[in-house]
């Protein structure tokens, strides 16, 4: 009897299982595929190949991510992406340059998988950890990263939480300024970091903050968490996405990049309006939690989901350290 079968025997409402291939890992919850993480990306260099989560689904199976949308082919579900990493672009697509708008430059880097450090289920949590190397388009290795994520189902079964941790070490031999299009001069466009792109049907959905504020005016504001509620085509179901920033992150509470029009997206943006110097031979840690839930959410439910995510962040994600 395997671990998943043991769980089914002891608690039929919360069954986690996983399947590993040479380039991705898939996690199922009660037989539904809820998360697929591709750790070995093979996209064109112009898309800055890097690991990504897609599809992500609610416990009932509703898709809450989009992959390579025609308007931005380099958007991949949920991914850790940095558009202004010194002169390099680890986001994909063209780079914004002050006075020149967006330009296609020979600066699209890539994040390559090196080795798996941990993969399995323990204590009702699935954990995956691996090492990566960041390479510029010219082939220079500038970052060594250890990345870990955990997946935890909620007690009531209507949501699950993804806990994401990245530990990046600057091995380039020089200080690197990390910024955004806003630090380069484009107003209110400070994207960069853990970035989620929602399905087409979520366009026009609700962006909601901790104090009941709502709408795109929340872009650029600081908050410990932010949520997005969207409705699906075909099924007419509603889903809730809530992202929480760890209080131990250096830029906490972060500014948020979010949109509802012309497409749904959201992410804590630690380099939104001010460059952060990533000193040579230092390590930068960032941790986040993302709750994926079935159903619509009012302020009271969002507060409960945020509390759940915060509790998960307070625990250890994985056992491997860089």
């Amino acid at each position: 009897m395997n671990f998943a079968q043991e769980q089914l025997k002891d608690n039929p409402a919360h069954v986690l299982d996983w399947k590993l291939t040479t380039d991705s890992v898939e996690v199922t919850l009660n037989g539904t595929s809820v998360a697929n993480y591709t750790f070995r990306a093979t996209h064109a260099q112009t898309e800055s190949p890097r690991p990504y989560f897609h599809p992500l689904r609610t416990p009932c199976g509703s898709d809450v991510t989009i992959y390579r949308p025609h308007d931005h082919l380099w958007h991949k579900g949920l991914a850790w992406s940095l558009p202004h990493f010194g002169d390099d672009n680890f986001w994909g697509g063209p780079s914004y340059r002050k006075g020149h708008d967006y330009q296609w430059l020979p600066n699209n880097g890539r994040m390559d998988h090196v080795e798996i450090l941990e993969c399995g289920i323990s204590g009702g949590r699935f954990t995956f950890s691996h090492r990566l190397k960041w390479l510029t388009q010219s082939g220079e290795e500038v970052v060594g990263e250890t990345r870990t994520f955990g997946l935890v189902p909620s007690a009531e079964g209507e949501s699950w939480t993804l806990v994401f941790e990245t530990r990046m070490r600057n091995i380039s031999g020089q200080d690197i300024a990390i910024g955004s299009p806003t630090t380069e001069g484009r107003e209110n466009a400070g994207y960069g970091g853990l970035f989620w792109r929602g399905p087409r049907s979520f366009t026009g959905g609700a962006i909601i903050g901790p104090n009941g504020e709502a709408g795109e005016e929340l872009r650029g504001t600081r908050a410990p968490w932010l949520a997005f509620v969207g409705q699906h085509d075909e099924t007419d179901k509603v889903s809730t996405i809530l992202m929480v920033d760890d209080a131990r992150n250096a830029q906490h509470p972060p500014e948020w990049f979010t949109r509802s029009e012309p497409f749904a997206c959201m992410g804590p943006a630690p380099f939104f309006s001010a460059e952060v110097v990533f000193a040579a031979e230092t390590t930068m840690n960032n941790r986040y939690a993302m709750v994926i839930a079935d159903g619509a959410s009012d302020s009271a439910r969002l507060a409960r989901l945020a509390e759940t995510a915060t509790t998960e962040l307070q625990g250890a994600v994985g056992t491997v350290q860089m």
Side-chain angles (χ1 to χ4, degrees), residues 57-108:
R57 298 187 178 98
T58 68
C60 79
S62 297
D63 291 341
V64 295
T65 52
I66 195 171
Y67 172 75
R68 294 189 80 240
H70 63 76
D71 49 76
H72 294 77
L73 298 177
W74 46 93
H75 288 182
K76 309 290 197 308
L78 174 74
W80 179 250
S81 312
L82 299 178
H84 285 254
F85 191 80
D87 292 330
D88 295 298
N89 177 346
F90 288 93
W91 173 276
S95 298
Y96 186 85
R97 291 294 183 264
K98 189 172 185 178
H100 300 281
D101 208 340
Y102 283 94
Q103 304 177 11
W104 285 99
L105 301 173
N107 68 339
N108 287 104

